[in-house]
Each structure stands twice: as C-alpha cells, then as structure tokens.
Amino acid sequence: MNEPLDPPAETVFRLGRTNFSTRSVPPEERHDYYRREVLTALDARDPEPGFTANITALRLGPHAFYVTETGGQTMFRTPEMIAADGRDHYIVQFNIAGSHTGDFDGVPFAFGPGEVGICDLSRPMLLHSTAVKVLSTFLPRAEVKAVVPDIELHGMVLDGNRAGLLIEHLTSVTRWFPQLLPETLPGITRATIELLGACLAMEAGRADLGTRESPVLLRARAYVEHNLLEPSLNPARISEALGVSRSTLYRLFEPLGGVTAYIWERRLHLARAALLDPKRARRISEIAFQCGFSSEAHFSRSFRKAFNIRPSDLRSLQPSLGEEPDTPFAKWTDTARGT
C-alpha cells in the first residue's frame, strides 16, 4: 500500500486540494523526507535508486482521496505501530500502474494494474512495491462492516471478475480527479463503500468468497506481473519458473479464465493504466506494441471488448492534470489540523 497520509480525523477541514512532491529535495534525502512528512500509519524502507514521490490530495472533513506516484520501496506496519496509534480504518487502493507483492499478517499478497487491494490498519503487513501510481482512500471500519460484516478483508485483492462495478467506479474517480470538488467527496466515499459491499454480495454464492488464493497461484500472479511485458511470457515459462507442472498451473488459473487469457487481461489493464496517465501521453500504437499486441487494430478490438470503450475514446475523456504548485506538506498538515 502506498499510504499517502494519516486517516482523516473527524473534523471539518476547509482545505480542499493540495500537493506534496519531492521534486525540490536533493535525491539522497527524498525518501527520508517522504517518510518524515507523509507516512504515519505505515513506514517504509529500501527505496529503489532515484526514488521520488508526488501526491495530490482531495479532502473534506473525514472524506479524502489521494493519487500517489512513488518509486519502488518496501512498506510495513508492525504490531508495535498498531498498538501505538490504534488506527481503525481500511485502506482501499486502486492500482493504476506498477505492482505490489508481500505478506499481510501471514497471507501472501500480490496485485497489479486495474486491481483493488485492501489493507486493515489493525493488522500487520509487509509490502514490496515497484514504481507505482495508485488511487487510495481510508474507509472507517464501522462504515465498511455495515455493508460487509462477516468477510475478512485484510489482504483481499479484487479484479474485474470479482469487482467490476467497484473498479469502474474507481477508474472514473481517477479519470476525473483533477476536476473533482471537495464537496463531492462524501457521496463518492459512500458510493465506494456501497459498491464494495455490492460486489462482495454478488460473490456470496461462490464457495471461495471467504478463502484465500493458494500460495502457488499468488506466486504465479506475482511472476506474471513482474514479467508482463516479456514477449516470451507463456504457461511453459511460468510453470518452469515456479517449479510446477503445466496441468497444475492450468487448474489454478481455470477460475481466472486460463493462463493465457489472464496474461492478456493483465496486459490490457496495463495498457488502460498507460492511457489514463496524462503525464506520459504516449501514442496508442506505442502502448499497443509494448503490451504485446501485433497491431493497433488488434489492440483496439481487444480493448473495446474488455472495457466497452475504444482506447482513443478513453484517452479523449482524460482531463489534463496540469501543474499545480507544490505545497509544503508540513504546512498542509498543520492547516488540516487547525494549528
């Protein structure tokens, strides 16, 4: 999880949109600056070379959403941190680009572009992230449990097969984030919680609702994420890397539509993440070829079948983020707390 700041306190804040960036900080000091000025519920270590962090926050009272871009790092929350701060929220994070692997209180965890990961701040976690871009929000436990009372959420990963409504909602929030007003946040937060509950309710008939994916499948999914753009990625290579038979691999991926279908689905989500990134406006053909498609027409057909929209139409809906001035984060937190 890329935790952008502390869960909002139950106070009415006047502050709406604000930015945090390490751009003006010397490279060797950026990760420490990010840890000191941003992280409260989580901590981080082992930044990858060239680490940077940029956060846009939209906040009103207890409601907040954050678009965060950071370099690779390892994030963690320990029992000692849990005992010290007593935070009682879930972090719900929509992954736009990059990937995460780790351990959520003994449960292996992996998720990539186009998926939603959930972290319970009352439980320990360890998470290794590549360079990522994510949309995050903090949801109070009481409000979440009101719609999903008997489901273990810590470490849960939701993809398009399990939570298409929620993912489309969060995709829209990401797309229109630059134009949202703080006054819209209470409604967006309620919709996020209700859609989370609705998606899990639709899953209630499935036997695997309260169970976790097998460790082998989690390893396989993580391997796919880390090698997604490799042209040679196929079932034979995955089974060899994991030391399992192809028949075992096929059985594990059967609920996900099969190994090959899963690889192409993940590549399409990666392509959608690239199309939604206004700071890296690459040509659609370039994105298509990088994601392994033989032609732009092939990519466009596959994309429209998966998302019910053409790549060019999705890009045309993407508003420009623009360049907002940096706001010193210490000043932001002081203002938000009324000091």
Side-chain angles (χ1 to χ4, degrees):
M1 295 284 151
N2 261 295
E3 177 242 0
L5 40 101
D6 55 314
E10 298 295 330
T11 342
V12 175
F13 302 132
R14 295 181 180 178
L15 192 64
R17 184 184 303 272
T18 189
N19 284 355
F20 167 85
S21 177
T22 59
R23 283 196 299 268
S24 61
V25 179
E28 67 277 8
E29 299 176 15
R30 286 175 178 171
H31 194 252
D32 286 339
Y33 178 68
Y34 163 75
R35 289 179 60 230
R36 182 176 67 250
E37 301 294 332
V38 174
L39 298 182
T40 54
L42 306 179
D43 202 351
R45 65 172 189 251
D46 306 328
E48 292 182 355
F51 176 89
T52 60
N54 296 283
I55 302 168
T56 301
L58 190 63
R59 178 168 175 162
L60 178 69
H63 309 284
F65 283 82
Y66 315 95
V67 172
T68 303
E69 294 183 82
T70 66
Q73 60 181 330
T74 295
M75 307 194 76
F76 58 92
R77 182 162 169 83
T78 65
E80 292 76 17
M81 296 167 67
I82 294 167
D85 62 34
R87 299 187 190 280
D88 200 28
H89 289 69
Y90 291 100
I91 302 177
V92 175
Q93 181 166 292
F94 175 52
N95 204 45
I96 303 167
S99 60
H100 313 258
T101 58
D103 181 287
F104 273 43
D105 202 6
V107 176
F109 179 89
F111 80 122
E115 295 182 322
V116 174
I118 303 176
C119 171
D120 182 343
L121 288 179
S122 71
R123 305 273 295 280
M125 55 83 75
L126 178 70
L127 192 70
H128 311 288
S129 299
T130 65
V132 294
K133 180 177 181 180
V134 297
L135 171 73
S136 304
T137 188
F138 290 90
L139 301 178
R141 178 183 307 278
E143 295 183 25
V144 173
K145 286 302 183 182
V147 296
V148 284
D150 301 317
I151 299 173
E152 172 57 58
L153 297 177
H154 190 50
M156 179 174 283
V157 176
L158 300 170
D159 60 16
N161 294 323
R162 296 172 65 89
L165 286 173
L166 178 63
I167 288 171
E168 288 303 317
H169 164 69
L170 293 175
T171 299
S172 296
V173 173
T174 303
R175 184 184 308 150
W176 295 106
F177 194 83
Q179 298 179 1
L180 294 179
L181 298 174
E183 291 78 7
T184 65
L185 295 186
I188 294 173
T189 301
R190 286 193 300 272
T192 302
I193 294 172
E194 292 295 334
L195 284 172
L196 174 62
C199 290
L200 294 176
M202 288 191 294
E203 287 281 297
R206 297 191 183 184
D208 64 343
L209 176 61
T211 63
R212 299 296 184 187
E213 293 177 348
S214 76
V216 177
L217 180 55
L218 284 166
R219 286 172 52 214
R221 281 162 45 90
Y223 184 84
V224 169
E225 292 300 331
H226 288 140
N227 297 275
L228 199 52
L229 298 182
E230 293 293 327
S232 60
L233 183 64
N234 57 32
R237 178 175 167 181
I238 298 169
S239 62
E240 181 181 356
L242 270 60
V244 300
S245 67
R246 280 194 234 180
S247 60
T248 297
L249 195 69
Y250 292 146
R251 177 177 55 79
L252 289 170
F253 275 89
E254 186 176 359
L256 301 177
V259 184
T260 302
Y262 178 79
I263 291 170
W264 284 108
E265 178 191 350
R266 301 306 307 138
R267 286 173 172 168
L268 282 167
H269 279 287
L270 186 66
R272 183 170 67 168
L275 289 166
L276 286 170
D277 189 346
K279 294 184 178 179
R280 299 178 181 87
R282 290 177 290 167
R283 293 190 301 274
I284 292 176
S285 59
E286 179 185 351
I287 294 172
F289 291 129
Q290 185 180 13
C291 291
F293 290 88
S294 57
S295 69
E296 186 174 344
H298 177 211
F299 169 65
S300 184
R301 287 194 300 271
S302 301
F303 192 93
R304 186 171 185 177
K305 183 178 179 181
F307 303 117
N308 200 32
I309 188 172
R310 292 182 299 182
S312 57
D313 292 338
L314 178 65
R315 170 159 281 174
S316 69
L317 291 174
Q318 173 65 59
S320 173
L321 280 173
E323 287 294 330
E324 295 179 328
D326 287 342
T327 302
F329 210 72
K331 181 179 178 180
W332 185 90
T333 52
D334 287 345
T335 304
R337 291 168 183 159
T339 58

